[in-house]
């Protein structure tokens, strides 16, 4: 997602920051900025778009000599990608950069505004710098002011703060978002990822959650969450940048599968509250007068839409249809203005989805997009947008974008269900509880990955794969099959399990591989009998289930069997890892499969 770089030392600070941020470009961003304190004086620059824009803006600025500097690349999650919303955020005499989300920023902002503080941006981050300055005004020493500030924050953060109140000093804190301190003699670097400092420093300390402190030339003071001092024990920095960009994983896709647990936490942050689901990005009354929903998307995003339709109809009791955008465009659909038109898109640039949206708008429909890229064409064209907060997705085969799209649709279902009064309060509590447990269902356990790796060698041939499931697990079967064919080039189909006997079962023999999604919480007995029918025809079966299934040739046991969506997410991870391990064994480039592009901007 966003990137952070910091530096304390005598070198030209602008170029250190810009070069460091350049190394973090691969993480995606839509604006950037930096601030320098040198000779007791603060300067800052911000620009929307690529780093080249920031370089141009700061072309005449130099900053050699003792001082400190902080820089940031921003991927918009709260507020549009504008210069005002770009980091660093400023107070009267301090600047802050921040990765993560401050969950309680609204009450903090109200409190500060009541004390006369004026906010410039729409971000959650800005509260940090104002809180800090209020504490200074109350008479606290700068470090005590910083300590008191982070004590008020809830949510996830990696923070760097500089201030005229403490020249040549960087205050830092980490909770839930990555941050490291790298050393080169007296010079001190900070970064959200080691790629930014490889080649500049030799050793680094990777902060743990709850740690904070301050640094000035030749000195780093680190504190544990219980406020006790802690020694800075550094380890050598890796030397391979490409490997560091992938956080040590073999492929971006692998990294993104592992990241799902974290990004889903970002997706729900500040939206899943004790009393229900809130989308502050949606205008008041946005759903008034809406009688039905049409979801429109392509590929993986379409599969997320299919999943959402099951949820929306079942829980929010609102009629919902799902359309493939390229079909929708030419079918001369009947559109009624009391239908909400929902597009789903990772990139926000998919040509068919964009054109379908324009068509719906021409017909007078209200539009909402569920998208990963703010300011993309689809976001700009839509009446409202809910950002999925997955961060940039580099692997062509979508993984974490899908997970976050499904999560947003689940949250939207609950939000609408509450508004429409279709849900008992006990159900709402149960759903919220399950949502909060989703990050753990998405965690990849080493043992599971190893098992899938070992199993994958048996699935490199055959005349085809059938992924089968029922209900919510039918779209997941479609998605599992799509993942496999995209990167392994093996033929795979997703099917509703109950449909097999209406034709496809004719293909069943020992060389037909069936991946059976058998959740405990949703129609277990039904899917079981469908799989038994296939087994009776000698199909090779890999069952994914929390229940032991004797007729399976291979079996992957899942653990989260307390809620259908937790089963969904856990099984999703299994299918993603299976596709990836098969593709790796077949020697394919998992991140850039043949014939595919990440963003399909042509019809
Ligand atoms: C598959 C995949 C594609 C996209 C589709 C729509 O792994 O990524 O099927 O889902 O091209 O793209 P977006 O979501 O960007 O509109």
């Amino acid at each position: 997602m966003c990137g952070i770089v910091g530096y304390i030392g005598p070198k030209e600070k602008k170029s250190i920051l810009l070069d460091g941020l350049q190394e973090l470009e691969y993480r995606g961003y839509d604006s950037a900025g930096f601030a320098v304190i040198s000779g007791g004086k603060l300067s800052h620059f911000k620009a929307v778009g690529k780093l080249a824009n920031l370089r141009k803006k700061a072309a005449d600025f130099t900053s050699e000599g003792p001082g400190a500097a902080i820089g940031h690349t921003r991927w918009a999650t709260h507020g549009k990608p504008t210069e005002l919303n770009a980091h660093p955020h400023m107070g009267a005499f301090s600047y802050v950069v921040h990765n993560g989300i401050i969950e309680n920023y609204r009450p903090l902002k109200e409190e500060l505004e009541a004390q006369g503080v004026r906010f410039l941006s729409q971000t959650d981050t800005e509260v940090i710098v104002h809180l800090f300055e209020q504490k200074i005004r109350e008479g606290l020493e700068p470090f005590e002011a910083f300590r008191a500030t982070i004590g008020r924050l809830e949510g996830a953060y990696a923070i760097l703060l500089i201030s005229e109140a403490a020249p040549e000093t960087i205050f830092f804190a980490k909770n839930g978002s990555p941050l490291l301190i790298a050393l080169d003699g007296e010079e001190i670097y900070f970064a959200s990822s080691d790629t930014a400092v490889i080649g500049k420093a030799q050793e680094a300390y990777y902060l743990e959650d709850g740690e904070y402190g301050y640094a000035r030339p030749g000195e780093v003071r680190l504190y544990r969450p219980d406020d006790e001092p802690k020694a800075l024990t550094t380890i050598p920095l890796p030397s391979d940048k490409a490997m560091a960009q992938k956080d040590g994983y073999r492929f971006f896709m692998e990294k993104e599968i592992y990241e799902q647990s974290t990004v889903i936490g970002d997706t729900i942050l500040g939206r899943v509250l004790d009393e229900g689901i809130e989308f502050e990005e949606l205008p008041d009354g946005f759903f008034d007068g809406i009688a039905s929903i049409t979801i429109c998307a392509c590929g993986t995003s379409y599969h997320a839409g299919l999943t959402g339709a099951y949820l929306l109809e079942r829980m929010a009791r609102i009629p919902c249809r799902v359309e493939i955008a390229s079909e929708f465009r030419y079918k001369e659909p009947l559109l009624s203005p009391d239908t909400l038109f929902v597009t789903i898109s990772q990139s926000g640039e998919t040509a068919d989805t964009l054109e379908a949206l324009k068509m719906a708008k021409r017909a007078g429909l209200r539009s909402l997009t569920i998208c990963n890229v703010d300011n993309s064409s689809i976001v700009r064209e839509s009446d409202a947008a809910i950002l999925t907060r997955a961060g940039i997705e580099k692997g062509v085969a979508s993984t974490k974008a899908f997970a976050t799209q499904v999560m947003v649709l689940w949250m939207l279902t609950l939000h609408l269900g509450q508004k429409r009064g279709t849900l008992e309060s006990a159900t709402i509590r149960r759903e919220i509880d399950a949502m909060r447990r989703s990050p753990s269902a998405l965690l990849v356990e080493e043992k599971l990955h190893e098992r899938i790796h070992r199993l994958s060698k048996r699935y490199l041939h055959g005349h085809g794969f059938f992924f089968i499931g029922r209900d919510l697990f039918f779209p997941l079967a479609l998605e599992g099959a799509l993942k496999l064919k995209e990167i392994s080039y093996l033929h795979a189909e997703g099917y509703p399990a109950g449909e097999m006997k209406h034709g496809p079962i004719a293909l069943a023999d020992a060389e037909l591989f069936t991946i059976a999604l058998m959740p405990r919480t949703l129609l277990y007995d039904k899917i079981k009998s469908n799989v038994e029918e296939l087994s009776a025809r000698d199909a090779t079966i890999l069952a994914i289930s929390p229940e032991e299934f004797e007729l399976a040739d291979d079996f992957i046991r899942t653990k989260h069997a307390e809620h259908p969506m937790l089963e969904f997410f856990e099984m999703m991870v299994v299918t993603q890892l299976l596709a990836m391990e098969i593709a790796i064994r077949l020697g394919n480039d998992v991140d850039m499969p043949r014939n595919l592009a990440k963003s399909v901007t042509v019809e």
Side-chain angles (χ1 to χ4, degrees), residues 518-553:
M518 305 174 72
R520 181 190 292 163
T521 49
L522 210 51
L523 303 171
Y524 179 76
D525 291 333
K526 301 275 174 206
I527 175 100
K528 190 169 166 231
S529 69
N530 298 140
V531 183
E532 281 164 358
E533 287 155 12
L534 279 155
S535 165
R537 272 94 188 160
D538 212 23
T540 297
I541 290 159
L542 165 56
I544 305 172
S545 180
E547 304 287 346
E548 184 93 41
F549 180 61
E550 280 170 7
L551 297 176
D553 298 85

Side-chain angles (χ1 to χ4, degrees), residues 298-301 344-348 350 353 396-398 405 482-483 486 598 600:
C298 303
T300 288
S301 298
I344 306 175
S345 177
Q346 187 285 128
S347 62
T350 302
T353 311
V396 165
S398 186
Q405 288 166 346
L482 179 64
K483 281 301 77 93
E486 281 182 294
K598 186 68 191 158
V600 186

